[in-house]
Amino acid sequence: QAQYLLAWDLECEFNNTDHRTELNGVEQLIVRRGQPFTINLHLRSGEYQPGGSALDLTVETGPQPSDQYGTRASFGLIDQIDTSRWSAAVTSPPGDMVSLSICSPPDAPIGRWRLTLGQGGLVEFVLLYNPWCTGDVVYMDSEEKLTEYVLAQDGIIYRGSWKYLIPTPWNFGQFEDGILEACLRILEMNPKCLRNPGKDASGRKNPIYVSRVLSAMVNCNDDKGVLLGRWTDDYDGGVSPLSWKGSVEILRNWDTNACQPVRFGQCWVFAAVACSVSRALGIPCRVVTNYNSAHDTNSNLVIERYVDENGQLVQKSKDMIWNYHCWVENWMTRPDLKPGYDGWQAMDPTPQEKSEGVYCCGPIPLKAIKEGELTYKYDAPFVFAEVNADVHTFMKREDGSTEKIISSVQVGLKISTKSVGSDRREDITHLYKYPEGSDEEREAFTKANHQNKLLKQQTNAGLLIAIKVSAEMKKGCDFDVFAVVMNNTPNGKKCRLVFGSRAVSYNGILGENCGFKDLLNVELAPGEEKRVPLRMNYSKYAENLTEDNLIRLAALLLDYGTREAYLAVRNVVLENPEIKVRILGEPKENRKLVAEITLQNPLPVPLQNCCFTVEGSNLTGGQIITEKLNSTVEPGQDAKVKIYFTPTHSGQRKLVVDFDSNKLGHVKGYRNVIIGK
């Protein structure tokens, strides 16, 4: 028994590669549940004889291991591995070196485990979820999807607006040095673990439990969580959420600074970090973006918007429509619900509303949202409202009276995620909602008691108003936008048209005026259409734009005859210049490469304090490379740098680039680099 044990070898390189964790490094044993791993024992005296030598093994996790909770198990050697429970078998011929195959059950709690070999040897290893194992509740049956949703260390997150989607590159970096440790620490710092560590360790067998913990711990609102959110333009004491290019720096900063929250995050940053942690732990995960996302604070499925007599939003209610909002989806079965609700589950780590007393949201099956099953766990009503809320617009007059005005705004548009194996966008709106006007949609609304949508009758308005924009709206240029008004009645109309523009942040907070027009006397003959231009001048909008590059256009048409008011609203995104990346040299493992990076200054003013930063998993050694330009970049001139880096692993990787300067804000770019062996 133990006295025979001279030494052991954990075969980390072989095991980690076999369990698809080798990118974490091969210094420690990292394996997946429900799948055997091998350790080699070297015996001190004589050989191992089958049947003659006993070896007792014990595994434990957490501070209060117990057989009852599945956090401890003792077992001896058997002839053949049993993959449904903790088991061990000898796989080598008799001799003084014994190969031992050990397997965990596919529902074992994940985390750090201790393995005791007889009386003598203590071995530590990390156990992760196993989406390759049919017995695991996170099992996914497609190798392509597993490559994308578990193994890919970079991706694309969609921002911008539903008419102009901006694909933003992100370095998830879940296998970079120290990231798995940070992810396990997130589990250890969560309040449920601090309150009852034994119960929490047992709870980790369940990805529903772990997803909910992550949704609370990625924000720091109730706990020692990872990120502090900020949605104003003041980022003192931290950095703008737009400056991040990936999760690695965020998770490392949190882990090395005694779990102090990293400043600052906004929705796509919260979602991206949650995605990195989910993938690191072995839960298939993707970041999704919902355009025109409703934030319904009072759970009535109605967003009430108020405008003044100039058509400008007045912040009167807490309900908001975000230009876009990002969350994540984790893949798992839901044995706690009736059959049919397995698969993608929405989970939202951005702190918006409390759930069970804590800022977290989900996981909720996409199918429950689509079917209007609002009693299903967790937080179905909030997510249902994000994609389905009805918008009512009221005008608040100066005398204090309010009246409803005619305006059409749709919520929950172009729900988007990166497609599997390519940088194209996949539209997943159909996973959240039925086609508009279909019987199934009606049925889901009935179930969800969404009365407003059910009662909505299409009224044919006599007057129509819409906003049209120019084909190109580049930051730095002047351009026109148009209010288009149409009289569909048999009578002539006399109207007032107020057409205004204001800077706006992506979550709907309004900034300053960027251009305004008030026409008191617009006459429309029956059937007539008029286009009214509004010039957007760089000199006017430059100082008012937030980093989101968004301008909110609002056109209000008042019919003098009927006193009816019609409102059209549209957010436009100003286009940033493109970052061009050229790779010089043939990309190979451990060979130094050069990236030549350029950006042309599109503004009529010089750029100062220009700085390029670059990162990429397995490309830049887990570090961020920074190159500052000493000179000013004149209008029309190129900002240009060369960056040197050495790839460590073969395969396709994204080199993610950020450009920052005094006038342009953060501009993102990337280049896919295919590294040969």
Side-chain angles (χ1 to χ4, degrees):
Q1 157 109 353
Q3 61 269 32
Y4 304 134
L5 211 51
L6 189 62
W8 54 86
D9 179 357
L10 298 183
E11 299 289 346
C12 292
E13 190 162 348
F14 170 78
N15 285 316
N16 291 10
T17 305
D18 194 39
H19 286 247
R20 299 175 178 84
T21 64
E22 76 283 0
L23 286 177
N24 286 300
V26 291
E27 292 73 51
Q28 58 171 334
L29 182 58
I30 305 166
V31 293
R32 298 187 185 275
R33 61 189 196 173
Q35 181 179 338
F37 59 94
T38 300
I39 60 177
N40 289 331
L41 308 181
H42 299 275
L43 304 184
R44 183 173 281 138
S45 59
E47 341 188 304
Y48 167 78
Q49 293 300 332
S53 319
L55 181 63
D56 297 319
L57 299 104
T58 304
V59 285
E60 300 180 322
T61 185
Q64 302 156 352
S66 104
D67 295 75
Q68 181 193 347
Y69 285 128
T71 49
R72 180 183 182 280
S74 293
F75 49 101
L77 298 178
I78 50 177
D79 292 340
Q80 194 93 38
I81 279 284
D82 177 352
T83 52
S84 68
R85 59 186 178 93
W86 283 103
S87 61
V90 172
T91 56
S92 56
D96 53 11
M97 199 276 295
V98 178
S99 274
L100 209 55
S101 185
I102 300 172
C103 193
S104 59
D107 62 350
I110 61 151
R112 299 179 195 281
W113 284 79
R114 304 173 295 282
L115 164 64
T116 314
L117 303 159
Q119 260 81 66
L122 178 67
V123 168
E124 295 193 340
F125 64 96
V126 173
L127 191 66
L128 301 177
Y129 291 112
N130 192 352
W132 284 268
C133 166
T134 50
D136 197 315
V137 290
V138 299
Y139 171 68
M140 201 172 220
D141 66 354
S142 148
E143 201 57 53
E144 284 167 311
K145 287 182 180 174
L146 286 160
T147 301
E148 181 70 58
Y149 297 136
V150 183
L151 300 179
Q153 292 198 80
D154 46 53
I156 300 250
I157 297 171
Y158 291 91
R159 296 176 40 254
S161 78
W162 73 277
K163 293 256 185 175
Y164 185 76
L165 291 75
I166 299 178
T168 306
W170 192 269
N171 179 31
F172 294 113
Q174 68 271 30
F175 301 124
E176 291 284 39
D177 204 26
I179 297 304
L180 180 57
E181 279 65 30
C183 296
L184 294 172
R185 191 168 185 191
I186 288 173
L187 299 182
E188 285 150 21
M189 294 307 296
N190 103 73
K192 291 175 176 171
C193 180
L194 301 175
R195 274 198 304 274
N196 187 339
K199 190 177 171 199
D200 175 78
S202 171
R204 292 181 198 174
K205 63 177 66 155
N206 185 352
I208 304 168
Y209 175 81
V210 168
S211 294
R212 199 153 167 75
V213 162
L214 292 184
S215 145
M217 280 297 292
V218 169
N219 68 69
C220 67
N221 288 43
D222 313 275
D223 42 47
K224 280 182 124 35
V226 177
L227 275 161
L228 179 61
R230 175 147 306 170
W231 282 268
T232 59
D233 248 5
D234 166 28
Y235 300 124
D236 281 357
V239 299
S240 151
L242 271 168
S243 68
W244 304 112
K245 294 166 295 306
S247 312
V248 177
E249 191 183 1
I250 295 170
L251 288 164
R252 276 197 191 137
N253 286 356
W254 176 80
D255 192 32
T256 52
N257 294 319
C259 307
Q260 290 300 305
V262 176
R263 299 156 187 258
F264 293 101
Q266 287 175 2
C267 70
W268 73 94
V269 187
F270 287 108
V273 169
C275 181
S276 296
V277 180
S278 295
R279 288 182 184 180
L281 297 176
I283 304 173
C285 182
R286 62 187 185 186
V287 177
V288 304
T289 302
N290 177 39
Y291 288 94
N292 284 10
S293 191
H295 181 163
D296 177 20
T297 52
N298 56 1
S299 307
N300 65 349
L301 296 178
V302 176
I303 302 291
E304 292 179 350
R305 290 195 308 181
Y306 293 85
V307 294
D308 60 18
E309 290 179 70
N310 290 330
Q312 293 298 341
L313 269 187
V314 189
Q315 234 80 76
K316 194 174 172 300
S317 91
K318 275 229 168 82
D319 288 354
M320 299 285 281
I321 297 169
W322 291 32
N323 213 36
Y324 64 85
H325 180 49
C326 302
W327 57 78
V328 294
E329 294 170 1
N330 281 357
W331 178 271
M332 66 194 71
T333 60
R334 289 300 297 265
D336 57 325
L337 302 175
K338 70 179 190 196
Y341 290 84
D342 299 340
W344 290 116
Q345 316 284 320
M347 152 192 140
D348 190 348
T350 298
Q352 295 184 90
E353 296 294 318
K354 288 193 169 186
S355 169
E356 296 179 339
V358 173
Y359 279 99
C360 67
C361 177
I364 178 75
L366 269 49
K367 184 153 190 261
I369 302 303
K370 187 170 179 174
E371 301 294 346
E373 297 284 6
L374 300 197
T375 57
Y376 282 24
K377 287 184 166 166
Y378 290 86
D379 310 305
F382 187 76
V383 182
F384 183 84
E386 286 183 305
V387 298
N388 285 311
D390 205 13
V391 183
H392 293 181
T393 310
F394 300 89
M395 189 196 296
K396 198 167 169 33
R397 297 195 178 274
E398 277 174 19
D399 61 13
S401 63
T402 56
E403 64 178 277
K404 196 164 181 185
I405 58 178
I406 298 159
S407 178
S408 70
V409 176
Q410 284 176 296
V411 158
L413 299 172
K414 283 199 181 166
I415 306 175
S416 302
T417 191
K418 175 189 177 301
S419 37
V420 173
S422 94
D423 287 348
R424 285 193 301 276
R425 181 181 78 91
E426 183 184 344
D427 193 301
I428 54 171
T429 313
H430 63 280
L431 298 180
Y432 283 86
K433 46 212 277 194
Y434 284 106
E436 199 162 331
S438 64
D439 292 349
E440 294 93 340
E441 181 196 50
R442 218 178 157 72
E443 213 171 296
F445 285 167
T446 307
K447 244 186 244 169
N449 197 19
H450 197 353
Q451 296 303 339
N452 290 291
K453 277 274 175 94
L454 291 167
L455 297 172
K456 231 184 187 172
Q457 295 303 319
Q458 277 307 312
T459 49
N460 272 340
L463 291 173
L464 290 177
I465 182 159
I467 294 172
K468 301 274 186 245
V469 298
S470 306
E472 287 215 319
M473 295 177 285
K474 291 194 183 313
K475 195 168 179 179
C477 296
D478 301 345
F479 56 91
D480 285 322
V481 292
F482 305 90
V484 181
V485 291
M486 171 100 181
N487 178 6
N488 279 343
T489 72
N491 311 315
K493 290 281 187 187
K494 257 193 155 151
C495 307
R496 174 186 175 193
L497 174 66
V498 187
F499 193 9
S501 63
R502 285 173 75 176
V504 63
S505 64
Y506 88 95
N507 62 328
I509 307 280
L510 284 172
E512 295 302 313
N513 168 29
C514 298
F516 184 78
K517 195 175 259 190
D518 189 353
L519 305 176
L520 294 171
N521 201 355
V522 178
E523 295 197 7
L524 293 164
E528 187 185 359
E529 176 179 301
K530 278 192 173 158
R531 285 169 81 90
V532 178
L534 179 65
R535 189 77 174 156
M536 307 301 297
N537 292 309
Y538 174 75
S539 58
K540 182 96 169 110
Y541 68 68
E543 294 309 312
N544 297 331
L545 274 187
T546 70
E547 288 194 299
D548 296 312
N549 282 355
L550 286 168
I551 296 176
R552 179 181 186 274
L553 307 172
L556 181 70
L557 189 67
L558 298 157
D559 181 337
Y560 287 129
T562 62
R563 288 195 52 105
E564 282 183 311
Y566 303 81
L567 178 74
V569 174
R570 179 160 175 180
N571 286 339
V572 298
V573 187
L574 301 190
E575 231 177 298
N576 268 327
E578 185 193 354
I579 292 179
K580 296 191 167 126
V581 184
R582 274 180 63 209
I583 304 292
L584 311 177
E586 190 193 347
K588 285 209 159 144
E589 273 183 24
N590 303 316
R591 178 187 287 179
K592 197 176 210 180
L593 284 180
V594 183
E596 190 181 83
I597 304 173
T598 48
L599 172 142
Q600 187 181 35
N601 176 8
L603 305 184
V605 295
L607 295 180
Q608 287 155 345
N609 311 333
C610 299
C611 178
F612 285 98
T613 51
V614 174
E615 69 175 276
S617 287
N618 308 137
L619 292 177
T620 59
Q623 303 305 314
I624 291 170
I625 301 172
T626 303
E627 280 291 335
K628 290 191 167 75
L629 275 73
N630 298 324
S631 53
T632 300
V633 180
E634 296 298 327
Q637 296 290 304
D638 282 347
K640 191 171 190 175
V641 293
K642 280 187 173 166
I643 281 176
Y644 297 86
F645 63 100
T646 306
T648 51
H649 292 81
S650 60
Q652 180 173 296
R653 306 274 185 256
K654 278 184 175 50
L655 192 67
V656 180
V657 183
D658 174 80
F659 174 80
D660 192 22
S661 62
N662 63 334
K663 291 283 183 197
L664 206 49
H666 288 278
V667 182
K668 304 287 182 207
Y670 73 96
R671 174 73 188 260
N672 287 328
V673 188
I674 297 168
I675 310 296
K677 280 268 188 221

